[in-house]
Amino acid sequence: MIWWRTSSADTDVNPDLASERAFPSFCVETLTNLLDGSVDKTRLRRYVVSTILKDPVFSREGHYFKTRQERYEGAVRNILHLKQKIKELGWLEDGPEGEFIYRAMGGEVALNIHGVFVKSISALGTDEQIAKWLPLANNCNILGTYAQTELGHGTYLRGLETTATFDISNQQFIINTPRITATKWWPGDLGKTCTHAMVLAQLIIKQKNYGMHLFIVQVRSLKDHSPMPGITVGDIGPKMSFEHIDNGFLMMRNIRVPKENMLSRFSEVLPDGTYVKRGSDKINYFTMVAVRVSMLRQEVLEALMKACTISIRYAAVRRQSELKPGDREPKILEYQTQQQKLLPLLATCYAIHYTVCHVNKVYDEVCGAIQAGNFDSLPELHALVSGMKAYATETCSNGIEVCRKACGGHGYSLFSGLPSLYTKVTASCTYEGENTVLHLQAARFLIKCYAAAQSGQSLPQSVAYLSSPISGVCQATSHTDFLNPEVYIKAYQHRAHRLIASAAFKMRNLVQFGMEQYDAWNSTSVELVKASIAHSHYIIVKLFADVTGSLSSSPEIKKLLKSLCDLHALHGIFTSSGDFLQDGHLSGHQLEMVTEAYLSLLTLIRRDAVLLVDAFDYADQQLLSALGSYDGNVYHNLLECAQKNPDNKKVNAVFENYLKPHLQSNISKL
Amino acid sequence: MIWWRTSSADTDVNPDLASERAFPSFCVETLTNLLDGSVDKTRLRRYVVSTILKDPVFSREGHYFKTRQERYEGAVRNILHLKQKIKELGWLEDGPEGEFIYRAMGGEVALNIHGVFVKSISALGTDEQIAKWLPLANNCNILGTYAQTELGHGTYLRGLETTATFDISNQQFIINTPRITATKWWPGDLGKTCTHAMVLAQLIIKQKNYGMHLFIVQVRSLKDHSPMPGITVGDIGPKMSFEHIDNGFLMMRNIRVPKENMLSRFSEVLPDGTYVKRGSDKINYFTMVAVRVSMLRQEVLEALMKACTISIRYAAVRRQSELKPGDREPKILEYQTQQQKLLPLLATCYAIHYTVCHVNKVYDEVCGAIQAGNFDSLPELHALVSGMKAYATETCSNGIEVCRKACGGHGYSLFSGLPSLYTKVTASCTYEGENTVLHLQAARFLIKCYAAAQSGQSLPQSVAYLSSPISGVCQATSHTDFLNPEVYIKAYQHRAHRLIASAAFKMRNLVQFGMEQYDAWNSTSVELVKASIAHSHYIIVKLFADVTGSLSSSPEIKKLLKSLCDLHALHGIFTSSGDFLQDGHLSGHQLEMVTEAYLSLLTLIRRDAVLLVDAFDYADQQLLSALGSYDGNVYHNLLECAQKNPDNKKVNAVFENYLKPHLQSNISKL
């Protein structure tokens, strides 16, 4: 018995959920091990998660009743306690436990950007800077943030307006916020916590602009935490979620910092004002890729997996309306429309899981190459990660809303756990690169590769298909043909290839007819985004099919994963059918076959749906959901949550202040 | 100068917004009048809105910093003050002012369900019941709620479990919550406010169940507001939005109410326990339709119009990245990808506006017929409204999220106004009929009509096309042909017709092959939902085209509305292209023409985009958005909002409690 399943005996489980688990067609534990990577990894994950969940300091009791201030205080308390605990237990943040710690904390920790502050010093600081600042930062003797985004400037770094002007006479930089749009805006931990900021600013020496550089600026006193002279700093106010994070703003008026405060591993200002650039700072660009890779699992996929767990368990317990006249109200999971909402998303969890594994593998390889000084694969990795970040964040956040709405009214209650999953993860469509911008970056790579292929150059592996001639029409003659991965992989590849080729063709035409290149790009950008999405989806489907094809697991699990892969692929064709029909790769008749195969898969996967989310292996305390607990006692949970509402225990001032005179003016008439 | 535009002179307007208004291609005021219905209606609306916004009691200063309890108290204060004010001003809630009052209040009022309580008494109570309860309720001497939904039961009324058992000996009903799933859950005003509940319960007389009836039950004391004996009542806790509403739960243990408390206009229990049914209670069912009709404008379209106003004004002010190399950062509205996000939604506002006008007209006609005892058109109206409610709530809430994300990081701040528009309106996909359920109800009507047409019966007007043979292939030969409304109306009609026919065909086949009817229905339900969506969209496109075709306004405005209609229609074909391609109504080549026409319309509408949202004529105090104000001074607004954050003025306890020991243990090293 896994400790975190709330019920100590199966008899406590709602019979509607117990019946879903009574005759498993596969071993759930084996699938969990497969998802984790190995039996040992499962064991380690459970050990880390349980250690954290058992600690009363980390308790999330009453979570949904907390104010912003309480959430923030809790997040600060959590991170300081966590750092202490990690030290005591001998865990390593970068070690095997590290990957599970954040997941176990459910992200409810502060000082995340302090980590970025630390990393930027290690990556971009000189040895002296590292020696000076790192011990202080690692011991939390100073707390940092990373101040990049400005009120008027986001994605486009060259547009930032903050200036750092070198003053030769004092060997200092004078840092300024020249106008309101240059106010630093959004940095986490800046609003109420940090003492130092890593400020990205235009370096100016003798009136000449040398572009963006990083400067360490103290923003608050270590003695009383008050803003330093010339500093205006504060919290930017409430957001759609992230109540626990103090995103802040920062204005600087003639702040002087010593020359040594500019991070100088790759560029330096000499005492006489000479600017010296050395080495490659591509590594900085690589860091951005690293952040996107790590967010895919920890922030994005994780959230969809939780939403699927909650909504599928609930759909097996909730009974509603009438299917067969006269029968008992059926579980809502029996309805085809409910299956169509939830089961493709369940399949998507598995699809993105394998994509994330692949992206991590590629990332590690490129990482190794870069350490050996070879940056050749960086553009391909960058394009892959850009497309996947955009694809996965969009798919997962939209999917969570589908899960939430599929829980009906109860999905709207915070107690379901679903609203906060959504309001949090939807931010990931914007941060770390806005999705449309990222798709266009990926598209730029694809168009470049397409042109290279046209001129006979060889292409990196992920886009190698652009070198082959575009494939012909689909050969499927029955709906079962569409359960052949070769058939649907080809369809996805064809779609991506056609959309890329057609965007390239349109742009070339526009330019030939006299349009400027940048204008042609903009006029094609809707189609370029479509092309990037199609390419990302092709990669996902292909990876999923390849993995399930080569898996050495039990035959039942292989079969099941194969069906999930089919479902994921056919659902995508069903919902984006125009892309596959447009040039006749699929005929209308074949699309009917796809529909038939797709709808049959819903019935097939429905049987194992609950076990397939059980395999994600979330503890109830991780889900924080009245609807999603392992025991399925949803109504009991909801009522218990409502009764814990502190509001229900307070005297209602509204009665005394507003209602009483009305209610008591006509009592005799009753 | 309209009073609610914040700037007293055009010089205060951000030049980037001023330039959008400098050379209008049409008269904004004329368009506003057209949207309102007449010059007089515009005048009246502005008078009502300004009267309300000027009242300091209704001030929404500091709105985004308020706690749930403060929002709730404010909503109670607002409604009581509003009732007083309406009386003093001689306004009528059901009169010409009524329609604008709720809009002006931005929904920030309590006692909404008290209104439903009142209406159910007027519609379903006897004359004696009306005489007794209505004056008390209208004077707020009692405060009611409408308690239908239960913890375990939503849409399916027959599944409700609360019982009202007739006790002949005392001439009383004994009301009970027999088990936890029967707990009343969600009723507004129940959590902390109301004194009485209109309880929907199974009527049981001598062990026989007579189905659902309504009973007036006192739940709280009028003297001290404490729960009555046998009553357990409270607030159900925090939700995704609606912080100002106290949705509640209610359990009843042997609550006795006199026989007279059952609403008895259409059914009565005689003293000896005889059950008498009289007249038709179809009117009750009609009330549900009425609620859906009224929410379409006030809660749903309104929200999308606000979101478009905010995001389009912001897109004309925000500058980002680089379009033409070396040029100033362009307005983000210049990017095709940004246009594609916002402009089709702008067109959708106009499309749904005309749909709502039409639905209201049909509703009034049916209303008149019903008053004359003719219920014939009720099924058509019910189907129309079910489909439109589902279509509009889904489209508007998804659209608001698109607007929000299109504002980048600032769209995630509550100060943008967008997160709360979304989290509120998304609830409308679930309440007043869950959308999938509603689409299936509309589909049931469509399938019935299709069968009737097959057997030669004549059909109601909105589905008359099902009587004609399904139309042939599209005849368009160039992209300009797709700017002909006849062409795209035919395409939409063809799509709806085909999907309905194909669902009917599939069901008939399944039944012929031995499947039970209910099972065939369920196995086709994904396709049935698609058919209902296609039918609703056809109606919307046709109405919009008809209106713009027959409009007697200025030529500029006619032309502009025609372009918006084209954009709405072609965007729909572009995004759901598979439906149009599947049976060859459109060829792949024609879809390329659609794409070309669609993308050109984006450029065309972009020119007037800001004026087209100006025409919605929202006061800044209605938008409550730092990004959407009329003057476009977004950065100033954001900073001002952040600086008003009360958190920024408080001493940070986190420093004293958690940070200080860390920060002060190594000061000497700095």
Side-chain angles (χ1 to χ4, degrees):
Chain A
M1 179 61 49
I2 300 165
W3 75 269
W4 53 67
R5 296 191 174 156
T6 43
S7 315
S8 55
D10 270 356
T11 47
D12 295 339
V13 172
N14 185 321
D16 280 339
L17 214 40
S19 68
E20 300 282 337
R21 296 174 178 135
F23 307 102
S25 75
F26 68 98
C27 172
V28 176
E29 184 68 14
T30 306
L31 183 54
T32 300
N33 298 153
L34 195 67
L35 289 168
D36 280 323
S38 69
V39 174
D40 286 346
K41 275 242 177 168
T42 300
R43 198 176 298 131
L44 178 66
R45 177 178 54 74
R46 286 185 184 150
Y47 158 67
V48 172
V49 171
S50 63
T51 305
I52 283 175
L53 294 186
K54 272 186 215 152
D55 189 323
V57 173
F58 298 138
S59 162
R60 298 180 76 181
E61 184 69 28
H63 181 71
Y64 297 116
F65 300 119
K66 289 191 177 140
T67 63
R68 272 188 84 208
Q69 182 61 24
E70 288 165 347
R71 292 277 299 278
Y72 161 67
E73 284 186 31
V76 173
R77 187 193 57 229
N78 283 353
I79 187 68
L80 295 173
H81 182 67
L82 182 65
K83 280 179 184 285
Q84 188 59 35
K85 195 174 178 92
I86 288 174
K87 209 180 279 175
E88 284 166 18
L89 290 166
W91 291 354
L92 295 170
E93 278 189 64
D94 295 339
E97 295 90 0
E99 135 178 37
F100 304 121
I101 295 172
Y102 185 92
R103 283 159 72 178
M105 298 296 299
E108 203 70 11
V109 286
L111 305 190
N112 296 296
I113 310 303
H114 176 63
V116 179
F117 175 83
V118 170
K119 273 189 194 144
S120 58
I121 295 174
S122 356
L124 306 169
T126 60
D127 293 344
E128 299 75 37
Q129 288 173 325
I130 291 174
K132 173 177 180 184
W133 295 102
L134 236 52
L136 292 166
N138 282 334
N139 288 325
C140 295
N141 302 139
I142 60 170
L143 297 171
T145 185
Y146 190 86
Q148 175 176 309
T149 318
E150 295 175 356
L151 193 43
H153 308 276
T155 320
Y156 187 65
L157 292 193
R158 274 181 286 167
L160 295 179
E161 296 180 279
T162 303
T163 53
T165 309
F166 188 55
D167 177 354
I168 297 185
S169 63
N170 295 303
Q171 296 288 302
Q172 287 175 329
F173 295 105
I174 310 165
I175 305 201
N176 267 299
T177 301
R179 63 193 67 81
I180 183 174
T181 46
T183 307
K184 292 291 178 185
W185 200 266
W186 279 113
D189 309 328
L190 172 63
K192 308 179 197 171
T193 317
C194 75
T195 60
H196 287 66
M198 185 66 71
V199 172
L200 204 63
Q202 306 278 2
L203 168 63
I204 293 167
I205 312 171
K206 299 177 189 161
Q207 274 101 56
K208 189 174 166 201
N209 189 332
Y210 289 86
M212 303 311 305
H213 289 75
L214 286 168
F215 302 85
I216 300 174
V217 177
Q218 182 170 358
V219 296
R220 286 189 178 90
S221 149
L222 297 175
K223 291 215 175 101
D224 63 7
H225 217 234
S226 63
M228 301 299 283
I231 293 284
T232 307
V233 64
D235 187 286
I236 62 163
K239 297 141 293 185
M240 199 167 179
S241 178
F242 284 91
E243 294 88 348
H244 63 296
I245 299 294
D246 58 319
N247 301 88
F249 64 87
L250 169 67
M251 287 187 279
M252 292 162 287
R253 205 180 59 246
N254 291 326
I255 302 298
R256 289 180 168 268
V257 300
K259 194 174 91 57
E260 293 69 34
N261 278 24
M262 180 177 112
L263 294 195
S264 299
R265 174 166 293 270
F266 297 107
S267 47
E268 194 184 348
V269 178
L270 301 183
D272 67 349
T274 308
Y275 177 80
V276 183
K277 196 156 178 63
R278 66 172 104 84
S280 161
D281 56 357
K282 274 190 191 153
I283 196 74
N284 192 21
Y285 166 67
F286 183 62
T287 309
M288 198 173 60
V289 173
V291 173
R292 288 179 193 152
V293 170
S294 83
M295 71 184 272
L296 282 181
R297 166 164 297 285
Q298 299 206 334
E299 291 159 45
V300 182
L301 173 57
E302 188 84 354
L304 183 60
M305 283 178 157
K306 286 181 180 172
C308 284
T309 305
I310 294 167
S311 55
I312 288 176
R313 285 180 181 166
Y314 179 64
V317 161
R318 176 71 172 186
R319 290 173 170 275
Q320 182 86 34
S321 295
E322 196 175 56
L323 229 169
K324 183 171 176 184
D327 264 15
R328 188 180 168 194
E329 293 183 84
K331 297 176 175 185
I332 56 175
L333 193 52
E334 309 303 352
Y335 291 101
Q336 190 188 50
T337 47
Q338 189 75 359
Q339 292 169 8
Q340 144 163 83
K341 289 174 191 174
L342 302 181
L343 304 185
L345 290 169
L346 173 61
T348 297
C349 287
Y350 283 86
I352 295 185
H353 165 78
Y354 284 112
T355 306
V356 170
C357 293
H358 172 78
V359 170
N360 273 295
K361 204 174 123 254
V362 176
Y363 172 80
D364 287 343
E365 286 165 13
V366 175
C367 217
I370 284 178
Q371 274 160 5
N374 177 355
F375 286 84
D376 292 354
S377 303
L378 194 50
E380 185 189 9
L381 176 70
H382 178 258
L384 174 71
V385 173
S386 299
M388 285 305 166
K389 185 273 181 186
Y391 188 94
T393 54
E394 196 77 18
T395 305
C396 291
S397 53
N398 290 346
I400 292 166
E401 261 305 74
V402 171
C403 291
R404 190 188 64 68
K405 288 186 196 163
C407 293
H410 293 323
Y412 197 70
S413 164
L414 292 198
F415 301 146
S416 73
L418 294 164
S420 37
L421 280 176
Y422 178 70
T423 52
K424 193 170 175 189
V425 88
T426 188
S428 69
C429 296
T430 307
Y431 65 66
E432 297 304 334
E434 194 275 329
N435 281 353
T436 304
V437 172
L438 291 187
H439 272 310
L440 287 171
Q441 288 181 2
R444 205 174 281 277
F445 175 77
L446 295 172
I447 293 291
K448 223 180 257 178
C449 290
Y450 181 75
Q454 297 298 95
S455 64
Q457 294 168 51
S458 74
L459 295 184
Q461 184 261 332
S462 65
V463 288
Y465 66 97
L466 295 175
S467 295
S468 322
I470 199 158
S471 63
V473 299
C474 172
Q475 301 296 334
T477 57
S478 78
H479 68 96
T480 49
D481 284 350
F482 281 100
L483 304 180
N484 177 356
E486 274 181 40
V487 171
Y488 56 69
I489 289 173
K490 202 182 225 178
Y492 274 92
Q493 190 193 91
H494 181 94
R495 170 207 194 200
H497 198 152
R498 180 179 66 77
L499 288 170
I500 294 165
S502 133
F505 179 77
K506 175 173 170 179
M507 265 193 294
R508 203 176 46 221
N509 263 1
L510 292 174
V511 171
Q512 274 174 359
F513 280 95
M515 199 182 262
E516 295 281 351
Q517 180 66 37
Y518 68 87
D519 229 352
W521 176 266
N522 190 30
S523 301
T524 315
S525 55
V526 164
E527 286 138 306
L528 288 164
V529 169
K530 272 191 80 153
S532 168
I533 292 170
H535 172 74
S536 293
H537 206 174
Y538 157 65
I539 300 274
I540 291 170
V541 168
K542 187 167 183 325
L543 280 171
F544 196 5
D546 287 352
V547 170
T548 56
S550 64
L551 214 60
S552 58
S553 187
S554 75
E556 302 83 42
I557 287 181
K558 280 194 73 158
K559 207 172 135 228
L560 199 53
L561 286 175
K562 156 78 169 61
S563 296
L564 286 168
C565 180
D566 296 346
L567 177 60
H568 177 77
L570 298 187
H571 173 259
I573 298 179
F574 179 75
T575 50
S576 301
S577 57
D579 288 354
F580 299 87
L581 292 168
Q582 182 162 5
D583 72 338
H585 178 77
L586 292 189
S587 68
H589 185 51
Q590 284 171 324
L591 187 61
E592 283 168 26
M593 297 171 197
V594 168
T595 307
E596 189 180 346
Y598 160 58
L599 294 176
S600 311
L601 284 165
L602 294 180
T603 320
L604 190 77
I605 297 296
R606 183 259 166 270
R607 284 182 224 150
D608 297 302
V610 167
L611 296 172
L612 282 166
V613 295
D614 283 354
F616 296 153
D617 206 35
Y618 286 111
D620 287 349
Q621 298 90 323
Q622 289 181 283
L623 295 174
L624 286 180
S625 168
L627 305 186
S629 65
Y630 185 80
D631 67 11
N633 291 320
V634 298
Y635 302 118
H636 169 267
N637 295 344
L638 277 170
L639 191 60
E640 194 176 71
C641 286
Q643 286 176 326
K644 281 185 188 159
N645 189 343
D647 270 11
N648 285 329
K649 282 159 206 146
K650 283 178 200 148
V651 176
N652 184 0
V654 162
F655 172 70
E656 284 296 332
N657 297 342
Y658 298 103
L659 306 180
K660 204 170 171 179
H662 291 276
L663 298 180
Q664 300 191 346
S665 67
N666 233 334
I667 286 193
S668 62
K669 296 246 174 94
L670 267 166
Chain B
M1 180 59 50
I2 300 165
W3 77 270
W4 54 67
R5 295 190 176 158
T6 42
S7 315
S8 55
D10 270 355
T11 46
D12 295 339
V13 172
N14 185 319
D16 279 337
L17 214 40
S19 68
E20 299 283 336
R21 295 176 179 131
F23 307 102
S25 74
F26 68 100
C27 172
V28 176
E29 184 70 11
T30 307
L31 183 54
T32 299
N33 299 154
L34 194 68
L35 288 169
D36 280 324
S38 70
V39 174
D40 286 346
K41 275 241 176 167
T42 300
R43 198 176 298 130
L44 179 67
R45 176 177 55 74
R46 287 185 183 150
Y47 159 65
V48 172
V49 171
S50 63
T51 306
I52 283 175
L53 294 186
K54 274 185 214 151
D55 190 323
V57 174
F58 298 138
S59 161
R60 299 180 75 181
E61 183 70 29
H63 180 71
Y64 297 117
F65 300 119
K66 288 192 177 141
T67 64
R68 273 189 83 208
Q69 181 62 23
E70 288 165 347
R71 292 278 299 278
Y72 161 68
E73 284 186 32
V76 172
R77 184 193 60 229
N78 282 354
I79 187 69
L80 295 172
H81 182 67
L82 182 65
K83 280 177 185 284
Q84 188 60 34
K85 194 173 180 94
I86 287 174
K87 209 181 277 175
E88 284 166 18
L89 291 166
W91 290 356
L92 295 169
E93 278 189 65
D94 295 339
E97 296 90 359
E99 137 178 34
F100 305 122
I101 296 172
Y102 184 93
R103 283 159 72 177
M105 297 295 300
E108 203 70 10
V109 286
L111 304 189
N112 296 296
I113 310 302
H114 176 64
V116 179
F117 176 83
V118 169
K119 273 188 195 145
S120 58
I121 294 174
S122 355
L124 305 169
T126 60
D127 293 345
E128 299 76 37
Q129 288 173 325
I130 291 174
K132 174 177 177 184
W133 296 103
L134 237 52
L136 292 166
N138 282 335
N139 288 326
C140 295
N141 303 139
I142 61 170
L143 296 170
T145 185
Y146 190 86
Q148 175 177 308
T149 317
E150 296 175 357
L151 192 43
H153 308 277
T155 320
Y156 186 65
L157 293 193
R158 275 182 285 166
L160 296 180
E161 295 181 278
T162 304
T163 54
T165 310
F166 188 55
D167 177 356
I168 298 185
S169 63
N170 296 303
Q171 296 288 302
Q172 289 176 328
F173 296 105
I174 309 166
I175 306 201
N176 268 299
T177 302
R179 63 192 67 83
I180 183 175
T181 45
T183 307
K184 293 292 179 186
W185 200 265
W186 279 113
D189 308 329
L190 172 63
K192 308 180 198 171
T193 317
C194 75
T195 61
H196 288 67
M198 187 66 72
V199 172
L200 203 63
Q202 306 279 0
L203 169 62
I204 292 167
I205 312 171
K206 298 177 191 162
Q207 274 99 58
K208 190 175 163 199
N209 188 330
Y210 289 86
M212 303 312 304
H213 289 74
L214 286 167
F215 303 86
I216 300 175
V217 177
Q218 183 170 357
V219 296
R220 285 189 179 90
S221 151
L222 297 174
K223 292 213 175 102
D224 63 5
H225 217 236
S226 63
M228 302 298 284
I231 295 284
T232 307
V233 64
D235 188 284
I236 61 163
K239 296 142 293 184
M240 199 166 178
S241 178
F242 284 92
E243 294 87 349
H244 63 297
I245 299 295
D246 57 321
N247 300 88
F249 65 87
L250 170 66
M251 287 186 277
M252 294 163 286
R253 205 181 59 245
N254 291 325
I255 303 297
R256 290 179 167 269
V257 300
K259 195 173 91 57
E260 292 69 34
N261 278 25
M262 180 177 111
L263 294 194
S264 299
R265 176 166 292 271
F266 296 107
S267 48
E268 196 185 348
V269 179
L270 301 183
D272 68 349
T274 308
Y275 178 79
V276 184
K277 195 156 178 66
R278 64 173 106 83
S280 161
D281 55 358
K282 275 188 189 154
I283 196 75
N284 191 21
Y285 167 67
F286 183 63
T287 309
M288 197 172 60
V289 174
V291 173
R292 287 178 194 154
V293 170
S294 82
M295 70 186 270
L296 281 181
R297 168 164 294 287
Q298 299 205 336
E299 292 160 43
V300 182
L301 173 56
E302 189 83 357
L304 183 61
M305 283 175 156
K306 287 181 180 171
C308 283
T309 305
I310 295 166
S311 55
I312 288 176
R313 285 180 181 165
Y314 178 66
V317 162
R318 175 72 173 187
R319 291 175 171 274
Q320 182 88 37
S321 296
E322 194 175 57
L323 231 169
K324 184 172 176 183
D327 264 16
R328 188 181 169 195
E329 293 182 84
K331 298 178 175 185
I332 55 175
L333 194 52
E334 310 302 353
Y335 291 101
Q336 190 188 50
T337 47
Q338 188 75 359
Q339 294 170 5
Q340 143 161 86
K341 288 174 192 175
L342 302 181
L343 304 185
L345 290 169
L346 174 60
T348 296
C349 288
Y350 282 86
I352 294 186
H353 166 77
Y354 284 112
T355 306
V356 170
C357 293
H358 171 79
V359 169
N360 273 294
K361 205 174 121 254
V362 176
Y363 172 81
D364 287 343
E365 286 164 13
V366 176
C367 218
I370 284 177
Q371 274 159 5
N374 178 353
F375 286 84
D376 292 354
S377 303
L378 193 49
E380 186 189 8
L381 176 70
H382 178 258
L384 175 71
V385 174
S386 299
M388 286 305 167
K389 184 273 179 187
Y391 187 94
T393 52
E394 196 77 18
T395 305
C396 292
S397 52
N398 291 346
I400 292 165
E401 262 303 75
V402 171
C403 292
R404 189 188 64 68
K405 288 186 197 163
C407 293
H410 292 323
Y412 197 71
S413 164
L414 292 197
F415 301 146
S416 73
L418 294 165
S420 37
L421 281 175
Y422 178 70
T423 53
K424 194 171 175 188
V425 88
T426 188
S428 69
C429 297
T430 307
Y431 66 65
E432 296 304 334
E434 193 276 329
N435 281 354
T436 304
V437 173
L438 290 187
H439 272 310
L440 287 171
Q441 287 180 3
R444 205 174 280 278
F445 175 79
L446 296 172
I447 292 291
K448 225 180 253 177
C449 289
Y450 181 75
Q454 297 297 94
S455 64
Q457 295 167 52
S458 74
L459 295 184
Q461 185 260 330
S462 65
V463 288
Y465 67 97
L466 295 175
S467 295
S468 320
I470 199 159
S471 63
V473 299
C474 173
Q475 301 296 333
T477 57
S478 77
H479 68 97
T480 51
D481 285 350
F482 282 101
L483 303 180
N484 177 355
E486 274 181 42
V487 170
Y488 55 69
I489 289 173
K490 204 183 224 177
Y492 274 92
Q493 192 194 90
H494 181 93
R495 170 206 195 201
H497 198 153
R498 181 180 67 77
L499 287 170
I500 294 165
S502 133
F505 179 76
K506 175 174 170 180
M507 264 193 292
R508 204 175 46 223
N509 262 2
L510 292 175
V511 170
Q512 273 174 0
F513 280 94
M515 200 182 259
E516 295 282 351
Q517 179 67 39
Y518 67 86
D519 228 354
W521 177 266
N522 190 31
S523 302
T524 315
S525 55
V526 164
E527 286 138 308
L528 288 163
V529 169
K530 272 191 80 153
S532 168
I533 292 170
H535 172 74
S536 293
H537 206 175
Y538 158 64
I539 301 274
I540 291 170
V541 168
K542 187 167 184 321
L543 281 170
F544 196 6
D546 288 352
V547 169
T548 55
S550 64
L551 214 61
S552 58
S553 188
S554 75
E556 303 82 44
I557 287 181
K558 279 194 74 158
K559 206 174 135 226
L560 199 53
L561 287 175
K562 157 78 169 61
S563 296
L564 286 168
C565 180
D566 296 346
L567 177 60
H568 176 77
L570 299 187
H571 173 258
I573 298 178
F574 178 75
T575 51
S576 302
S577 58
D579 289 354
F580 298 87
L581 292 168
Q582 182 163 6
D583 72 338
H585 178 76
L586 292 189
S587 68
H589 185 51
Q590 283 171 324
L591 188 61
E592 283 169 25
M593 299 170 194
V594 169
T595 307
E596 188 179 347
Y598 160 60
L599 294 176
S600 311
L601 284 165
L602 293 181
T603 320
L604 190 77
I605 297 296
R606 183 260 166 270
R607 285 182 224 149
D608 297 301
V610 166
L611 296 171
L612 282 166
V613 295
D614 282 354
F616 297 153
D617 205 35
Y618 287 110
D620 287 349
Q621 299 90 324
Q622 290 182 280
L623 295 174
L624 286 179
S625 168
L627 305 186
S629 65
Y630 185 80
D631 66 11
N633 290 321
V634 299
Y635 302 119
H636 168 267
N637 294 343
L638 277 171
L639 191 60
E640 193 176 72
C641 286
Q643 285 175 326
K644 281 184 186 159
N645 190 343
D647 270 11
N648 284 331
K649 283 159 205 145
K650 284 178 200 149
V651 176
N652 186 359
V654 161
F655 172 68
E656 284 296 332
N657 298 341
Y658 298 103
L659 306 180
K660 204 170 171 180
H662 291 276
L663 299 180
Q664 300 192 347
S665 66
N666 234 335
I667 287 191
S668 61
K669 297 246 174 92
L670 269 165

